[in-house]
Amino acid sequence: MSALKQVVGIDVAKDELVASFGKLMEDLSTEIKDYKVFSNSEKGFESLLKWVYSKKTLNIEVIFVMEATGVYHERFAHFLYAKEEKTVIVLPNKISNFIRTLDIKTITDKSSDRF
């Protein structure tokens, strides 16, 4: 079974980026392939992109998704834009409302790795 979509979800903090790499499969199931922590710096951005390229399936677009976290996400978003990577920035209240629609009793950064 092949992937329809590839997504990198990034939890952005002042000093680090926690990235989860996942795929949406043809049967609409999701698979989290891996996650890794990078520094929130130019060197970390380059390392994250290299890591994603080593994981992705060729010819299937990768979408980078991150929460708007004050100003901490902005440098990374600009970096991805300059690299012509598809980037989505989501408002925190939108993520919170989406999570409420799921059948999950507790959400922590670690439990959200499954998305």
Side-chain angles (χ1 to χ4, degrees), residues 5-19:
K5 195 180 289 188
Q6 300 176 109
V7 177
V8 181
I10 303 128
D11 185 13
V12 181
K14 180 181 177 183
D15 297 320
E16 67 182 18
L17 307 170
V18 180

Side-chain angles (χ1 to χ4, degrees), residues 10-53:
I10 303 128
D11 185 13
V12 181
K14 180 181 177 183
D15 297 320
E16 67 182 18
L17 307 170
V18 180
S20 293
F21 181 82
K23 294 183 179 189
L24 176 66
M25 306 309 287
E26 286 178 324
D27 66 355
L28 302 183
S29 65
T30 57
E31 294 180 6
I32 300 300
K33 294 295 193 180
D34 203 357
Y35 79 96
K36 192 169 180 177
V37 179
F38 301 89
S39 68
N40 191 351
S41 67
E42 196 76 26
K43 184 178 178 183
F45 304 162
E46 291 288 349
S47 295
L48 189 151
L49 209 52
K50 185 176 179 180
W51 175 75
V52 169
Y53 290 166

